[in-house]
């Protein structure tokens, strides 16, 4: 595999969207190259090939100047003799902060049991929210390390793959960077379960071959329908990533039952045309009623938007179609990093604002931080609340609420409103009365029964709640 990137490649990529910053990026490269002189990667390549590739991954996302420079310099604090102050002096404060943030994040040890480590981990976790670009650089770093993991020992491979699944896949999800997320998942699985990975890969390949005609036929038919109505469009064939298939098989599904294994991604110009497209498709192919999802009016907590509908395609094959605008597709692939392309110079501020106001991840993190004085408890809560699987349930109005797996109606009630939690006397899930510590499951419809005259939340609810928000509200109520 020869995919080595040269400085010229990086500069050419940069010229496509930000030609005026070529000089400083070149200087950052030469600076890093001099500092890493003599160091080698385990692949036998000179060390600089790694930061160069990281910077290139960032340039592919159209990252701003400071991010690209920090990508080139990201390992200099750790592996060479210079200091943060040197970088600040030779480049600027922003670049120095980014490199410093990435360096600290690299030292984070989520699984260590030492006390001092908990304090450190906490500092790092709260630190990354100050500039989301730190997370993005770290994701690019991890992506390249995972792509070149074959040169490491088997022990290191497994350790890195596990850590990637535990920390970096959730982080990529939280900022909506699905492309990075699914590549990291597949690379991890490849090292964690190599036999399984190969088996699924082969089956997937066979399936892709056998369904290619069917998908193409559908693609052309839908394209013709859209063109006839003058709806500007682009349609792509996409199959689920290997990890996604693995997860489903693991849950007991058969390959033939995975309804979104094969998908057509249909991009159109505007929101109204998404719904027009939906009608045209349903009119042509029978939809499966309960597989329809409207993430346009109900976006995911990482701002993903799209219409999903699974239909009976040619040869009775189930095919999922994902319908969204071109803009939504950018967010769906790149998440927060899509702003680099859209907002140019203002991107950094817009990213931070959005992170604070719209992304669930940041809100929960702030909540946990204010709630737990003890570092160990803080780290454990972040693990169970943010880095665990999620469940999605409905309110009576049909809003979708995201909660950590294991969450109970208590968490649900407080997430809707403090008063609802404080006056809750009972709960119905899918029209059945359930106990208050019932573990919510995907697609549950939850109705909370409240009574103004209730005594308020009982102290033992604290242990039955999973989220810091609910725990804090119950404590606050009982203090009064
Ligand atoms: Mn690195």
């Amino acid at each position: 595999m020869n995919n080595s990137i040269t400085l010229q490649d990086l500069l050419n990529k940069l010229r496509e969207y930000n030609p005026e910053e070529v000089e400083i990026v070149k200087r950052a490269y030469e600076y890093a190259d001099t500092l890493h002189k003599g160091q080698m990667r385990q692949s036998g390549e000179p060390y600089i090939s790694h930061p160069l590739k990281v910077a290139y991954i960032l340039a592919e996302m159209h990252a701003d100047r400071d991010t690209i420079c920090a990508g080139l310099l990201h390992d200099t604090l750790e592996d060479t003799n210079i200091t943060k102050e040197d970088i600040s002096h030779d480049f600027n404060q922003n670049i120095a902060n980014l490199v410093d943030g990435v360096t600290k994040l690299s030292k984070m040890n989520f699984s260590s049991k030492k006390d001092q480590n908990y304090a450190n981990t906490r500092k790092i976790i709260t630190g990354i929210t100050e500039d989301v670009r730190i997370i993005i650089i770290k994701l690019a770093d991890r992506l390249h390390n995972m792509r070149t993991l074959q040169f490491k020992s088997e022990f290191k491979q497994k350790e890195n793959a596990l850590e990637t699944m535990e920390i970096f896949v959730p982080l990529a999800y939280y900022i909506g960077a699905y492309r990075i997320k699914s590549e990291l998942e597949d690379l991890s699985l490849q090292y964690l379960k190599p036999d399984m990975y190969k088996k699924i890969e082969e089956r997937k390949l066979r399936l892709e071959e056998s369904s290619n005609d069917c998908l193409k036929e559908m693609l052309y038919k839908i394209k013709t329908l859209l063109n006839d109505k003058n709806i500007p469009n682009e349609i792509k064939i996409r199959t689920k990533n290997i990890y996604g298939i693995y997860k489903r098989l693991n849950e007991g599904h058969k390959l033939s039952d995975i309804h979104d294994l094969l998908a057509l991604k249909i991009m159109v110009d505007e929101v109204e045309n998404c719904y027009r497209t939906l009608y045209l498709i349903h009119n042509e192919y029978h939809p499966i009623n309960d597989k329809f999802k409207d993430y346009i009016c109900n976006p995911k907590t990482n701002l993903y938007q799209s219409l999903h509908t699974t239909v009976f395609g040619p040869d009775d094959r189930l095919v999922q179609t994902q319908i969204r605008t071109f803009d939504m597709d950018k967010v769906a692939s790149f998440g927060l990093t899509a702003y680099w392309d859209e907002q140019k110079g203002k991107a950094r501020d817009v990213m931070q604002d959005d992170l604070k106001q719209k992304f669930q991840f940041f809100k929960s993190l702030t909540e946990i931080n204010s709630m737990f004085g003890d570092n160990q408890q803080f780290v454990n809560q972040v693990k169970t609340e943010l880095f665990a699987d999620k469940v999605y349930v409905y309110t009576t109005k049909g809003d979708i609420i995201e909660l950590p797996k294991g969450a109970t109606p208590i968490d649900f009630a407080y997430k809707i409103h403090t008063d609802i939690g404080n006056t809750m006397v009972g709960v119905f899930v899918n029209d059945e009365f359930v106990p208050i510590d019932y573990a919510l499951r995907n697609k549950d419809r939850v109705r909370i029964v409240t009574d103004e005259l209730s005594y308020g939340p009982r102290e033992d609810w604290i242990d039955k709640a999973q989220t810091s928000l609910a725990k804090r509200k119950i404590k606050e109520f009982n203090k009064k």
Side-chain angles (χ1 to χ4, degrees), residues 65-247:
R65 174 197 74 190
D66 288 352
T67 307
I68 304 276
C69 289
L72 286 165
L73 298 168
H74 82 269
D75 277 328
T76 56
L77 288 184
E78 175 97 44
D79 298 338
T80 77
N81 288 327
I82 60 154
T83 62
K84 184 179 173 187
E85 287 66 38
D86 293 332
I87 296 180
S88 173
H89 174 264
D90 297 336
F91 291 89
N92 65 42
Q93 189 63 46
N94 259 325
I95 297 179
N97 287 342
L98 288 172
V99 176
D100 188 50
V102 175
T103 308
K104 284 185 180 143
L105 191 53
S106 309
K107 287 186 187 147
M108 179 167 97
N109 190 340
F110 224 31
S111 326
S112 166
K113 296 267 182 306
K114 281 197 216 114
D115 219 31
Q116 192 213 345
N117 265 318
Y118 285 119
N120 217 359
T121 307
R122 175 176 204 154
K123 254 217 255 87
I124 296 159
I125 294 176
T126 46
I128 52 178
T129 55
E130 277 160 34
D131 195 332
V132 68
R133 294 178 302 176
I134 295 170
I135 302 179
I136 299 166
I137 298 168
K138 188 62 208 171
L139 284 172
D141 175 44
R142 178 50 61 115
L143 187 57
H144 184 241
N145 283 333
M146 289 300 292
R147 282 180 186 168
T148 51
L149 205 55
Q150 72 265 35
F151 301 107
K152 297 269 184 189
S153 69
E154 201 187 322
F155 177 78
K156 268 274 162 213
Q157 288 175 347
K158 291 233 165 21
E159 192 183 54
N160 281 355
L162 208 59
E163 190 187 51
T164 298
M165 285 307 296
E166 267 190 348
I167 300 177
F168 296 103
V169 165
L171 279 177
Y173 171 79
Y174 281 130
I175 63 163
Y178 278 91
R179 266 206 209 169
I180 293 183
K181 172 180 174 273
S182 55
E183 191 180 344
L184 285 178
E185 284 174 337
D186 279 4
L187 285 164
S188 300
L189 187 66
Q190 203 177 333
Y191 290 101
L192 290 172
K193 310 232 167 193
D195 297 340
M196 182 64 87
Y197 182 90
K198 271 203 202 89
K199 226 165 86 187
I200 298 176
E201 193 182 30
E202 279 163 21
R203 288 176 74 183
K204 181 179 153 165
L205 222 64
R206 256 181 283 143
L207 188 93
E208 275 171 346
E209 271 168 28
S210 70
S211 52
N212 198 26
D213 290 345
C214 149
L215 284 173
K216 279 204 172 132
E217 181 189 329
M218 255 183 103
L219 191 152
Y220 289 123
K221 186 165 252 168
I222 295 173
K223 199 158 194 50
T224 313
L225 289 169
L226 293 176
N227 290 345
D228 284 349
K229 300 277 178 202
N230 292 318
I231 299 176
N233 67 84
E234 195 184 327
I235 308 180
K236 285 185 176 157
I237 295 175
R238 167 252 70 139
T239 44
K240 212 172 176 61
N241 72 342
I242 298 193
Y243 179 78
I245 299 172
Y246 164 75
K247 216 170 132 189

Side-chain angles (χ1 to χ4, degrees), residues 20-33:
E20 57 275 20
E21 306 292 2
V22 164
E23 277 320 303
I24 185 171
V25 168
K26 210 168 142 191
R27 188 158 68 80
Y29 171 84
E30 279 153 7
Y31 193 90
D33 189 27

